[in-house]
Amino acid sequence: MKQTQLFGTTKKETPSGEVSKNAILLTRGGYIDKELAGIYTLLPLALRAVQKISAIVREEMNRLPHTSEVLMPMLQPHSLWEESGRREGIKEIMYDLKDEAIGLGPTHEEVAQDVFRHFVQSYKDLPRAFYQIQTKFRHEPRAKSGLLRGREFMMKDLYSFHLTAEDLIEYYDLVKQAYLKIYSRCGLNAIYTDASGGVFTKYRSHEFQVLAENGEDTIYLNQAGDRAWNKEVVQEDDPEFLQFCSGEIIKKNAIEVGNIFRYDNKYSKPMHSTVVNKNGEEIEVLGASYGIGITRLVGTIVEVYGDLEKSKMIWPASVAPFKIHLIELSEGLGEDIYNVLMLSNISDVLYDDRAVSAGNKFADADLIGSPIRIIVSAKTQATKCVEIVLPDGKTELIKEKDLINYLAKN
């Protein structure tokens, strides 16, 4: 894409009222536009990042057995929440329509259970699971951390249904492994963390936490750094906790990027969702819920990779809105290279064809954060080369004729 065609512009000033790193850098980089606290327009750059993250999530979800993608309604009847017994508890965070007994969905356990019981009546049809990527709405009283804590946000939520606890646990572990792979592919090191089940389950839930200086959660790590407990479930004199820590308590700030929990028959029992087993008996199905905040991942990546002091962002290549930023320092010099890239099916390119100073181009490139920059100038053109700038700041000159092969390997 040519930058003259890109909607949204970078900003020099820190946005008023924003304190979190992701909100500041995403606003200044022309990624998001704030409508209200916790409510943002995703501009083209942010939308491309969301689409790349969503593609990774879909690939890993579609590898899970017995799992399909659906799209459930945003509007949910109060009657489903009354049936499950959660209506009173959800009133504080659900946005309700004024004249109808309908609300905007903050989560979809009730709807998922309702859909399931419409189609599955026999044990032979189990296990089953389905997921969606959809916008959620929650009346968030602390909507102040950019994309990390919004009132309207995009989420992947998955629901699984099982005949036995053993089958549920087996699928639960498969989802755990899929989640860890998703985060790794997005350039994040996520830590599997024991957390409170809260109002959702009698069991502990499991979060996926990413270490971050400004993270809202506090976690306690094991010595290997690959497992943790959330502060909310920690009692420092608990023998189980001390054994977990091996006597060394490592306390860190982190951002929750996902959460999974089993709820067994919490919804199937009150909602009369049963299947007939091989003996002809009606059995309540067992279930679990698995969530990943898609827009929250965008904010987390910026918190981890962004540099406020330098007004700079470097995206992991897998989720960068544009992997390549082609910058011409003399008007018209980049056009031929851009066309060659397009004809070679290297289309993940933002071409800065604007008639602005080199200083403005480099400052904007820092905020946009593409991991590979190709710089074309009269100096490089004289030797039929381009200058490559990599995320670590290293530069090298590559002959124009070798550029396609170079990019294919990087």
Side-chain angles (χ1 to χ4, degrees):
M1 173 181 276
K2 294 184 177 182
Q3 207 158 333
T4 50
Q5 298 174 341
L6 180 68
F7 185 80
T9 57
T10 60
K11 301 178 184 297
K12 293 182 179 179
E13 303 81 17
T14 297
S16 175
E18 299 289 21
V19 295
S20 64
K21 183 193 295 187
N22 80 90
I24 294 170
L25 287 178
L26 287 170
T27 301
R28 289 196 57 206
Y31 280 81
I32 60 175
D33 183 56
K34 185 176 182 178
E35 298 294 339
L36 294 167
I39 303 174
Y40 295 87
T41 294
L42 299 182
L43 298 172
L45 289 172
L47 185 58
R48 286 179 67 92
V50 162
Q51 289 168 339
K52 289 190 174 184
I53 292 170
S54 297
I56 290 171
V57 169
R58 280 193 172 95
E59 286 177 11
E60 298 304 328
M61 291 298 96
N62 291 340
R63 289 191 176 101
L64 293 169
H66 319 293
T67 303
S68 303
E69 183 174 5
V70 300
L71 186 60
M72 291 178 275
M74 295 182 184
L75 292 171
Q76 301 184 9
H78 293 172
S79 59
L80 283 181
W81 290 82
E82 290 163 356
E83 190 177 357
S84 72
R86 290 209 300 171
R87 173 59 187 154
E88 287 302 314
I90 207 70
K91 282 184 177 179
E92 289 187 4
I93 66 168
M94 180 182 266
Y95 289 102
D96 288 332
L97 273 64
K98 183 177 180 182
D99 298 319
E100 294 187 69
I102 297 174
L104 288 171
T107 184
H108 275 71
E109 280 83 6
E110 279 79 2
V111 174
Q113 196 72 54
D114 190 45
V115 171
F116 173 84
R117 67 184 175 181
H118 290 162
F119 292 93
V120 180
Q121 285 80 41
S122 170
Y123 77 97
K124 294 179 181 179
D125 295 323
L126 291 175
R128 279 288 181 266
F130 48 81
Y131 75 94
Q132 63 175 353
I133 295 177
Q134 194 211 54
T135 301
K136 296 283 193 287
F137 302 88
R138 295 180 188 174
H139 192 278
E140 173 56 65
R142 295 182 295 158
K144 59 178 178 59
S145 300
L147 297 185
L148 296 183
R149 190 172 289 281
R151 292 191 280 173
E152 177 181 334
F153 55 93
M154 192 174 295
M155 182 178 179
K156 188 285 304 176
D157 44 326
L158 164 69
Y159 306 91
S160 67
F161 306 89
H162 309 267
L163 189 65
T164 67
E166 292 77 14
D167 187 64
L168 189 158
I169 292 169
E170 182 179 344
Y171 186 84
Y172 194 90
D173 190 63
L174 289 176
V175 176
K176 168 193 168 182
Q177 299 304 325
Y179 271 36
L180 291 172
K181 189 170 183 182
I182 287 167
Y183 300 127
S184 177
R185 291 182 62 185
C186 291
L188 297 172
N189 178 31
I191 302 164
Y192 190 60
T193 304
D194 283 41
S196 168
V199 299
F200 297 103
T201 176
K202 63 184 178 181
Y203 306 103
R204 284 186 181 175
S205 67
H206 294 99
E207 299 170 343
F208 296 82
Q209 296 274 0
V210 172
L211 298 182
E213 182 180 350
N214 298 318
E216 293 183 330
D217 286 352
T218 300
I219 63 172
Y220 292 82
L221 284 167
N222 64 359
Q223 288 184 321
D226 59 355
R227 283 297 306 273
W229 283 24
N230 193 300
K231 181 182 178 181
E232 63 189 9
V233 296
V234 167
Q235 293 181 338
E236 293 194 12
D237 58 351
D238 182 347
E240 184 186 357
F241 173 66
L242 293 175
Q243 183 179 9
F244 169 80
C245 291
S246 301
E248 181 181 0
I249 298 175
I250 305 170
K251 187 176 178 181
K252 296 287 186 178
N253 293 337
I255 299 169
E256 179 193 340
V257 291
N259 183 285
I260 63 178
F261 55 90
R262 54 181 291 195
Y263 48 72
D264 288 357
N265 64 348
K266 179 180 176 69
Y267 302 100
S268 62
K269 185 177 181 67
M271 297 179 72
H272 307 291
S273 179
T274 61
V275 296
V276 177
N277 69 9
K278 62 182 178 180
N279 298 321
E281 302 165 325
E282 286 196 357
I283 303 294
E284 292 164 358
V285 295
L286 305 179
S289 180
Y290 319 80
I292 289 180
I294 302 291
T295 43
R296 188 177 180 87
L297 269 179
V298 173
T300 301
I301 291 167
V302 177
E303 291 287 334
V304 171
Y305 286 91
D307 188 328
L308 270 182
E309 290 186 6
K310 295 181 180 179
S311 297
K312 188 172 184 178
M313 175 64 195
I314 294 290
W315 287 88
S318 60
V319 294
F322 292 97
K323 182 179 178 181
I324 299 165
H325 201 163
L326 173 61
I327 302 171
E328 64 174 21
L329 301 186
S330 299
E331 190 172 349
L333 291 184
E335 187 79 29
D336 288 344
I337 293 174
Y338 179 69
N339 290 335
V340 168
L341 293 175
M342 295 298 104
L343 290 171
S344 302
N345 292 319
I346 300 177
S347 59
D348 202 9
V349 180
L350 181 63
Y351 166 34
D352 193 346
D353 59 333
R354 300 172 302 162
V356 298
S357 70
N360 282 337
K361 291 192 175 192
F362 288 137
D364 288 354
D366 281 346
L367 285 168
I368 291 171
S370 296
I372 295 176
R373 292 187 201 177
I374 301 174
I375 300 172
V376 185
S377 65
K379 183 178 178 180
T380 63
Q381 197 76 353
T383 57
K384 298 296 182 182
C385 289
V386 296
E387 183 180 2
I388 303 291
V389 183
L390 298 174
D392 59 6
K394 292 181 180 178
T395 64
E396 53 184 310
L397 290 176
I398 301 292
K399 289 291 185 180
E400 289 182 16
K401 64 182 179 63
D402 298 326
L403 180 60
I404 300 302
N405 287 335
Y406 175 88
L407 295 174
K409 295 177 182 178
N410 292 273

